[in-house]
Amino acid sequence: MRANALGGVSLTEAQGCLIVNMPEDVVDDTFAQLHEAVAQRLIDSRLPAMILDFSGVQILDLHEFERIRKLARMADFLGVRVCVVAFNPGIAAFLAHSGADTEGMQFSLLMEDAFHLVGSRRASPQKAFGIFLSRGSGARLSGLLLLAHGEAGK
């Protein structure tokens, strides 16, 4: 798949995961195409996991995060484990303080840790430097901030 067909988003497969490299800005029309392309790729490939890589994203608002959450939920409905990786500290702080709904989502600081998290539903959040927010737990992204400061598990 050509990256510029989806507004700079690239879809690649590695270690049994679909890696979605998110661009700096995805407009609504492009995101609808991305959602469809990701769904089709997951169905066709039967991959068990997907990693959403935000290493190139500097700014993310609540509207954009909600679209990402819906993409992750769609993958979950397909039986695909999902991890969001490489939010910068500013995005993490903004989402934590704005009360963004992160229930059921996994987050990781590093790509290698994201591979570990999606490889096993029982991965230790402290060992993987990520956090799993289970459905119905009421947990929020603020746990990610504690993790980023090295306070998880203390």
Side-chain angles (χ1 to χ4, degrees):
M1 177 174 296
R2 292 184 1 225
N4 48 352
L6 292 173
V9 177
S10 67
L11 304 178
T12 55
E13 295 178 24
Q15 299 183 31
C17 297
L18 178 62
I19 311 295
V20 181
N21 293 305
M22 302 302 294
E24 235 179 279
D25 188 32
V26 180
V27 295
D28 288 337
D29 292 343
T30 303
F31 197 84
Q33 293 172 349
L34 170 65
H35 195 278
E36 186 176 321
V38 166
Q40 192 62 52
R41 183 80 168 262
L42 290 173
I43 291 167
D44 292 345
S45 68
R46 297 182 174 265
L47 290 170
M50 177 173 73
I51 296 174
L52 302 174
D53 180 7
F54 280 81
S55 59
V57 178
Q58 297 301 312
I59 298 172
L60 187 74
D61 65 23
L62 285 176
H63 174 72
E64 292 165 331
F65 180 74
E66 180 63 18
R67 293 185 306 184
I68 298 306
R69 193 180 67 74
K70 287 180 180 178
L71 178 65
R73 187 152 168 87
M74 177 273 304
D76 186 49
F77 286 143
L78 294 172
V80 175
R81 294 179 306 277
V82 180
C83 185
V84 175
V85 68
F87 272 162
N88 71 41
I91 291 173
F94 168 73
L95 293 173
H97 292 290
S98 66
D101 180 10
T102 60
E103 290 184 35
M105 296 182 74
Q106 293 187 78
F107 298 88
S108 175
L109 298 175
L110 303 173
M111 184 65 77
E112 66 187 62
D113 299 327
F115 281 118
H116 178 76
L117 281 171
V118 297
S120 170
R121 289 191 186 267
R122 294 185 181 168
S124 166
Q126 290 79 16
K127 184 176 179 184
F129 304 106
I131 187 165
F132 177 73
L133 304 174
S134 63
R135 287 192 173 85
S137 70
R140 295 285 182 239
L141 192 61
S142 57
L144 183 60
L145 291 178
L146 292 175
L147 185 64
H149 294 296
E151 298 179 28
K154 290 186 182 177

